[in-house]
Amino acid sequence: MKIHTEDRKLGDAADGTMRLGQSFQRAEGALKVNGAATYAQDYVLENTVHAVLVQATIGAGEVLSIDATAANSRPGVLLIMTAETIEPLSPATDPVGGPMRTEPYNPLARTVLYHGQQIAAVVAETREQAEEAATLLAITYRESDVTADFHAANAGAGIAVARADLDWGDAQGAFDAAEIKIEQTYQTPREYNVPLEPHAVVADWQGDQLTIHEPSQWVDGMARTYAEWFGLPFEKVRLISPYVGGGFGCKVFAMPHGAIAAMAARAIGRPVKLAVTRAQTFTAFGGRAATWQTLKLGADKTGKLVSIIQTGASETAMDSVRLEQLNQATAVMWGVDNFHSRQNAVPVHTVFPGALRAPGKNPSAFGLECAMDELAYATNINPLQLRLINEAEKNPQTGEPWSSRKMRDALAEGARAFGWDRRPMAPRSMRNGHELIGWGLACGTFPARHTPAEATIRILADGSAEVLSSAIDMGTGTYTVLAQVAADALGIAIDDITVRLGDSILPRAPIAGNSQIASLMAGVVHKASIAAKERLIEIALTAKGSAFAGLQANTLEVRDGRVSSAMAPQETIPVYEILRSTGTEIIEVTRDTFPTDVSAADRYRSYTTTTGMQAPPNGGYSVYSWCAHFIEVRVDEDFGTVRVCRVVSALDCGRLYNPKLSESQWRGGIIMGIGQALLEAGNVDPRNGRVINNSLGDYLIATNADIPSIETISVGVPDYRASEMGGKPVGEISIVGVAAAISNAVFHATGKRFRRLPLNIAEILD
């Protein structure tokens, strides 16, 4: 048969069955390796034309004029778009639940708020023609003073954000009375998502129906934004994203380039493809904001924490506030009776910051876990023992018990596998020739979130089954896990399961973010699969002439695509025969995980905004994943270079639906953490805020040559307070704490503290 990349079957299992919890290769892996997976830029529609973005070359000011005379004279040019030549769109709902803007939305700027902001677009028959014409636009600016980053003299202290404040106990009083005190400042730079697949949009209008091909972590949320921009009913927008070449948080929301492509397609009456270049991705959307935090840790002589005081700031855009919330890990990692946290947002001339793997939790853990290592040396207590001393028996912020917390197990198992008991306490006590060797430890956490969703299961007349959902798979394994869930619940072989994802016409799913998508979709697919199987059994019991007539439903079993009963062992009938014999073409069941009394409006808000994303409904328990990283580094004494040469990480993520995929996610997070610690930093020109290193040649990320042996250990157990199927967050937890473990290991190797990322060779040699 003809196989489409977005709905192809998942492949053969070795024995025709699949059980949740087994390791299985990613179902779409072969398609991606063979180049058959269809990404947004791969869609070629008839009569497609091409748009390119033109970005501001000043950091702040006004666009006075754009002379397009020369550009319009070039062959193939169809349209020049500027803020003056396009009609603004309607405002869209804030996707995170804030108040809706009232002013019209124009994706092309007159007032420039950062270097690289979109100010024009050129549409032509070919991309090359559009690119040439774009260089011919004569742009006149009025420049204003620039605040390049929060280190700039004109940056100021920022805006206090009260919603981020946390207080319990008497933190200042306890710190003043503490026997041991630590006070240090820790900094992280701007970091960028740089997914392998850059952003792209193919927009096509057919009458008042808008179809968008775009990489998306949230097709329903993005479709809602497009619908509101263009004043369309939600059902008139179809957003298609079967494959996503990485996102890490940057492909969640509809963005200006998407609006520009759709506006151009409507104006010209032809499909428009707009591909954001690699250099443009550094300002077409925001990555992790730069942060600083000052931590005061007070403890008694036994190492027991008595107080944590945290003050800090993160950069934000000039026209809107977003926090990289620095107390996300600090407030829950270790037991402390007195806590105080305040954070400011500092407006600078930058694109609005976005989410990057483990937002908030990552820089939060960097500061806390470095400070804990400093406390260990101030008290002369082994860093592992210090953490055991401060183990939190309940959530220190809320007082709630943990749904599960295997931190002690993570520390014990990780230490055993790493050989931590052989670590000398003194810095600079391990070497191999000119290399100083250091061993570092840090821990991390990530909260569980849950949003209602829906899914459809179809059992077809040939005995195969389909799983339908608008949930997406950005390489994390959603296709595979949902096939496993359905095969297990339906009793149908994995090679007879088709999974269709990433299309807004399918049953609704929320954002693939906060590491929630696998657990919430596994739960709803299991629920729908059980209901579909019950309907199949009902047909088997009631069909005229059925061999199972008169038996109880609970005596029938569906296994390996056949229906049988212990009460009639001589009968075992293929599913397809039961359906065909009764003239049943299809069994279709849709289920959701909404409360039974939820309104249609609340359903819509839940899957198109993040307002429905809450802690799991678990009866007063706090639900988190946990991890402990043990890392060995080698520091070249002559050149100051740092090489991570061994990683052992133990993680508590509850039940693992597919251990192979979970390990892949853990390794990916650890690798990103290595890059964060040693390589990654967005550098800006202080004169105009321009991102200087806006390429993968200059913005350095970890490559194979940087990656050592990585061992991951699961210490989790099924946690049914966390999710219906017992899983907890997997995708983001493993980056949390990696940079701190590396920094601590470098101190152990060199005797020098490094409190700013990435670690600097010059400081190591100093």
Side-chain angles (χ1 to χ4, degrees), residues 260-381:
I260 292 165
M263 295 173 83
R266 184 173 64 173
I268 295 174
R270 294 169 63 179
V272 169
K273 178 182 289 189
L274 192 160
V276 180
T277 68
R278 177 62 68 188
Q280 289 172 341
T281 64
F282 285 77
T283 51
F285 51 87
R288 196 191 311 279
T291 75
W292 68 262
Q293 57 181 307
T294 296
L295 281 171
K296 298 179 180 180
L297 270 56
D300 62 25
K301 289 182 179 178
T302 70
K304 181 70 177 86
L305 286 167
V306 297
S307 175
I308 296 178
I309 299 175
Q310 180 186 52
T311 55
S314 61
E315 293 179 338
T316 191
M318 280 291 178
D319 61 343
S320 193
V321 171
R322 184 188 186 279
L323 282 186
E324 185 73 17
Q325 197 162 332
L326 295 171
N327 54 26
Q328 294 275 289
T330 321
V332 298
M333 190 83 80
W334 307 114
V336 63
D337 293 332
N338 304 284
F339 187 92
H340 170 93
S341 177
R342 295 289 185 273
Q343 183 176 343
N344 286 358
V346 181
V348 300
H349 287 101
T350 183
V351 64
F352 184 64
L356 177 54
R357 202 170 196 159
K361 280 70 68 177
N362 184 318
S364 176
F366 173 67
L368 175 65
E369 289 300 284
C370 286
M372 287 292 285
D373 201 70
E374 300 203 42
L375 181 61
Y377 277 88
T379 56
N380 197 32
I381 297 173

Side-chain angles (χ1 to χ4, degrees), residues 362 365-371 373 383 387 418 420 423 438-444 627-633 642 644 646-649 670 673-674 676-678 734-749 753-754 757 759:
N362 184 318
F366 173 67
L368 175 65
E369 289 300 284
C370 286
D373 201 70
R387 287 166 172 80
F418 190 81
W420 185 263
R423 175 188 185 270
W439 290 2
L441 162 65
C443 297
C627 66
H629 302 291
F630 297 81
I631 292 181
E632 177 181 320
V633 302
V642 178
V644 176
R646 191 160 58 100
V647 178
V648 174
S649 297
I670 292 164
I674 292 171
Q676 177 188 32
L678 302 180
S734 62
I735 194 177
V736 183
V738 172
I742 292 172
S743 180
N744 294 339
V746 171
F747 168 77
H748 186 238
R753 284 289 176 192
F754 300 93
L757 296 179
L759 304 185

Side-chain angles (χ1 to χ4, degrees), residues 675-698:
Q676 177 188 32
L678 302 180
L679 301 167
E680 294 189 46
N683 300 318
V684 298
D685 188 326
R687 299 168 299 178
N688 56 18
R690 180 176 69 89
V691 181
I692 298 170
N693 56 335
N694 60 348
S695 73
L696 290 181
D698 297 310

Side-chain angles (χ1 to χ4, degrees), residues 58 61-67 82 84 109-112 119 138-143:
I58 63 171
E62 299 289 329
V63 178
L64 297 181
S65 66
I66 299 178
D67 185 348
T82 71
E84 304 296 334
R110 295 183 182 91
T111 300
V112 177
I119 60 171
I139 304 170
T140 305
Y141 300 100
R142 179 189 295 119
E143 294 192 55

Side-chain angles (χ1 to χ4, degrees), residues 368-434:
L368 175 65
E369 289 300 284
C370 286
M372 287 292 285
D373 201 70
E374 300 203 42
L375 181 61
Y377 277 88
T379 56
N380 197 32
I381 297 173
N382 185 295
L384 189 153
Q385 183 60 30
L386 180 75
R387 287 166 172 80
L388 294 175
I389 290 169
N390 289 288
E391 169 67 348
E393 302 301 332
K394 60 182 180 181
N395 186 323
Q397 179 183 348
T398 65
E400 294 174 327
W402 306 114
S403 64
S404 59
R405 175 175 162 121
K406 297 295 183 180
M407 183 64 84
R408 291 185 182 275
D409 300 80
L411 288 166
E413 290 300 312
R416 179 195 57 76
F418 190 81
W420 185 263
D421 59 346
R422 302 193 304 274
R423 175 188 185 270
M425 187 72 173
R428 298 184 68 89
S429 56
M430 302 169 67
R431 69 163 56 238
N432 180 15
H434 65 281

